[in-house]
Amino acid sequence: EAQVTQNPRYLITVTGKKLTVTCSQNMNHEYMSWYRQDPGLGLRQIYYSMNVEVTDKGDVPEGYKVSRKEKRNFPLILESPSPNQTSLYFCASSLSIISSSGGRGNEQFFGPGTRLTVL
Amino acid sequence: RKEVEQDPGPFNVPEGATVAFNCTYSNSASQSFFWYRQDCRKEPKLLMSVYSSGNEDGRFTAQLNRASQYISLLIRDSKLSDSATYLCVVPRSGTYKYIFGTGTRLKVLA
């Protein structure tokens, strides 16, 4: 079954304790992305990756790191979590954006979400 | 002006009604548009992609108006199961990023 998986699904942690949220897809997609969703703000892109070893910042990258060592995996790392990172996080994957100049993208497939609370 | 803007609703409609909502976008160079459905705090799921003037899938029709820079989603014969939040997504032209609207909430009432 084609899918995007995330772990953990729920996490409560304390300020400053490093954590990693894993994301894996089995569709051989090149493009992967992390979003956070907050009430009234919608989904905002944190980081994205065009392919292995190619990552770039989204609109809200502060406080996050990512890596893309394998095509299927795209972990999100919070080196020193803070309460303002309490949010619902989604990983997504898709075929590559066809053309950045023309803004021609592809449909994204989302993981089930990770609900993170930082105390 | 926001890059992607949606009326948050909620749109409360009776079963069987036709409902439509719009999504405006600011970048005239955008070429692809997506409607996603999101049930309460679950993952968004693709409803429709729009690459030209529009798209239709059963009871759902998406229309693109390039001149006025908006896309619409029309739902005919609404079902209780259509109750959800509908998200509009547009790739940001000149980048490899996606911009999400904040969503329009639909409630279909029995």
Side-chain angles (χ1 to χ4, degrees):
Chain A
E1 180 190 355
Q3 60 182 351
V4 179
T5 57
Q6 291 179 231
N7 281 292
R9 296 288 313 280
Y10 302 89
L11 179 61
I12 301 175
T13 189
V14 295
T15 299
K17 186 176 181 182
K18 181 179 178 180
L19 66 92
T20 299
V21 184
T22 64
C23 173
S24 183
Q25 50 94 5
N26 62 1
M27 294 170 278
N28 202 36
H29 283 163
E30 293 178 347
Y31 187 94
M32 296 186 74
S33 184
W34 276 103
Y35 297 89
R36 61 177 289 172
Q37 186 172 31
D38 303 288
L41 297 177
L43 276 86
R44 295 177 292 167
Q45 198 165 22
I46 303 170
Y47 269 94
Y48 65 92
S49 169
M50 294 294 290
N51 214 324
V52 176
E53 302 291 3
V54 182
T55 63
D56 206 349
K57 297 177 181 178
D59 289 332
V60 288
E62 296 78 20
Y64 305 95
K65 285 174 59 176
V66 293
S67 68
R68 187 92 180 273
K69 293 184 171 56
E70 305 165 280
K71 199 170 188 179
R72 62 182 294 129
N73 296 324
F74 189 45
L76 178 70
I77 303 156
L78 285 72
E79 294 270 3
S80 183
S82 63
N84 64 12
Q85 292 178 297
T86 292
S87 187
L88 178 58
Y89 291 86
F90 290 105
C91 179
S93 74
S94 73
L95 297 172
S96 279
I97 289 183
I98 296 170
S99 166
S100 69
S101 61
R104 189 170 174 91
N106 283 294
E107 62 177 291
Q108 295 178 84
F109 296 83
F110 285 81
T114 295
R115 193 178 297 275
L116 172 65
T117 301
V118 183
L119 302 174
Chain B
R1 181 182 178 184
K2 287 184 180 178
E3 291 181 271
V4 178
E5 200 153 9
Q6 296 182 253
D7 183 337
F11 285 60
N12 296 321
V13 302
E15 259 187 302
T18 295
V19 61
F21 24 82
N22 293 338
C23 166
T24 58
Y25 60 94
S26 62
N27 193 324
S28 60
S30 296
Q31 292 187 24
S32 53
F33 309 86
F34 305 91
W35 281 105
Y36 284 78
R37 172 200 169 116
Q38 185 178 28
D39 295 293
C40 189
R41 303 298 266 176
K42 294 195 174 179
E43 75 270 27
K45 294 186 177 177
L46 183 73
L47 185 64
M48 302 192 77
S49 305
V50 182
Y51 294 107
S52 56
S53 60
N55 198 357
E56 184 171 333
D57 183 5
R59 297 183 294 109
F60 299 85
T61 300
Q63 289 286 341
L64 171 61
N65 185 316
R66 287 194 184 277
S68 300
Q69 293 184 210
Y70 72 87
I71 56 171
S72 62
L73 180 67
L74 178 79
I75 305 175
R76 288 180 294 275
D77 188 23
S78 298
K79 313 289 185 192
L80 293 175
S81 57
D82 293 334
S83 298
T85 297
Y86 292 84
L87 306 174
C88 172
V89 185
V90 181
R92 180 184 284 156
S93 185
T95 75
Y96 296 97
K97 301 178 185 179
Y98 289 92
I99 308 302
F100 281 71
T102 52
T104 296
R105 191 170 171 203
L106 172 66
K107 291 183 181 178
V108 181
L109 308 171

